[in-house]
Amino acid sequence: MKWKPLFAVLLGLLMVGVTAGSAAATPIHNQPKPEHNIGLGTVIFTWLKGDAIISEGHTWVPGISAYVKTYKVRHNGMGTIHVSVFKWIPLGGYFTAAIMPDMTTYEEGFQGDHFKRDYIRTHTVDGHTFKVLTAEYSSWFSFGGWWEQEVKFDAGYGTHGILVIGYNNWPWLGNFLGAIGAGAAGKALLKFIFEGSADALGTVITALLSGVDVDGAIFTEV
C-alpha cells in the first residue's frame, strides 16, 4: 500500500528527532530567534508589535538570570501579541496559553502557522478580571510554529504583564488556573498581570511553572 513507505519515512524523521533530543530548539524561517530563557527548557519567544508601540526595551527577572521584553504603548492603541514556538513538537501535542489583562481582543484577529486558537475566556479572581487565550499545535509533525492575536491596549494606564505558557499535558492549564489566588504564588501572578512586576514574575516561575515552557512581556500604557 502507498501509505506504508510514507509512514516509514515519517517514522524515520521522528526517530531522528528523538535522537537529537525532543527539547532542542530549531529556528523557524522568517521568525526571530529566542533571545532569552526564563523557564525550564524555554523555547517560546513573545513580543508585541503594531502602531501602538512607542518604544521597546527589556528588564531582568530577579532570581532567573534572564530578561523579558518591555514596551511603552499608546493607551487605546491597536497592536498584536506574537508568540513563536521553537521546538520539535511531539505526537502527544503541544498547547500554549497567554494570560493577560482584560484587554479587547478580536474574533477575526487571530492567525497562526501550525497553531490554531482554541478559545479566549475571561476569569475573575479576588476582584481582578483577566483573559486567557489558548492555542493548540494543529499539525501532525513540525519543528515549531507561531501565532498572533490582535488586541487593543485598553487594560488601563500603567504597567501590565502578559504571561505565555507552553505545555504538553492538556489538563495542566486547568490545574494551574485552579491554583491562582491560592497563596503567595497566585497573588504574584496577579501582581505580574496587573502591575508588570518582574519580581512577581520571578516568584511565579519558581513556584508554579516548573517543568513547562514560559515567556512573558511587560507593557506600559501611556
Side-chain angles (χ1 to χ4, degrees), residues 22-152:
S22 63
T26 302
I28 303 170
H29 295 301
N30 301 322
Q31 297 297 318
K33 296 180 180 179
E35 298 180 6
H36 48 67
N37 183 23
I38 62 174
L40 298 177
T42 295
V43 286
I44 297 177
F45 182 33
T46 305
W47 74 98
L48 307 180
K49 61 181 186 179
D51 294 338
I53 307 302
I54 299 173
S55 62
E56 176 184 311
H58 69 269
T59 187
W60 294 98
V61 181
I64 307 298
S65 299
Y67 68 86
V68 293
K69 289 278 191 179
T70 60
Y71 299 87
K72 183 183 291 186
V73 305
R74 293 182 179 86
H75 176 63
N76 285 331
M78 299 298 297
T80 301
I81 302 171
H82 189 111
V83 175
S84 281
V85 177
F86 303 79
K87 182 171 185 172
W88 175 78
I89 305 295
L91 290 179
Y94 192 76
F95 308 89
T96 57
I99 305 176
M100 67 187 83
D102 189 22
M103 299 184 291
T104 300
T105 55
Y106 298 89
E107 188 65 29
E108 302 299 326
F110 180 92
Q111 59 179 322
D113 179 34
H114 296 303
F115 277 87
K116 64 180 181 180
R117 188 177 63 192
D118 288 322
Y119 62 76
I120 301 177
R121 294 178 182 171
T122 301
H123 300 262
T124 300
V125 174
D126 291 340
H128 297 285
T129 301
F130 57 92
K131 276 190 168 73
V132 177
L133 182 158
T134 62
E136 179 181 359
Y137 172 72
S138 61
S139 296
W140 192 71
F141 178 77
S142 172
F143 284 99
W146 59 267
W147 62 261
E148 60 183 31
Q149 173 66 51
E150 185 180 8
V151 299
K152 184 178 183 180

Side-chain angles (χ1 to χ4, degrees), residues 10-21 88 143:
L10 292 174
L11 182 60
L13 289 172
L14 288 174
M15 292 305 295
V16 170
V18 171
T19 302
W88 175 78
F143 284 99

Side-chain angles (χ1 to χ4, degrees), residues 164-175:
V164 180
I165 307 164
Y167 52 99
N168 297 97
N169 186 3
W170 173 249
W172 184 91
L173 179 64
N175 296 336

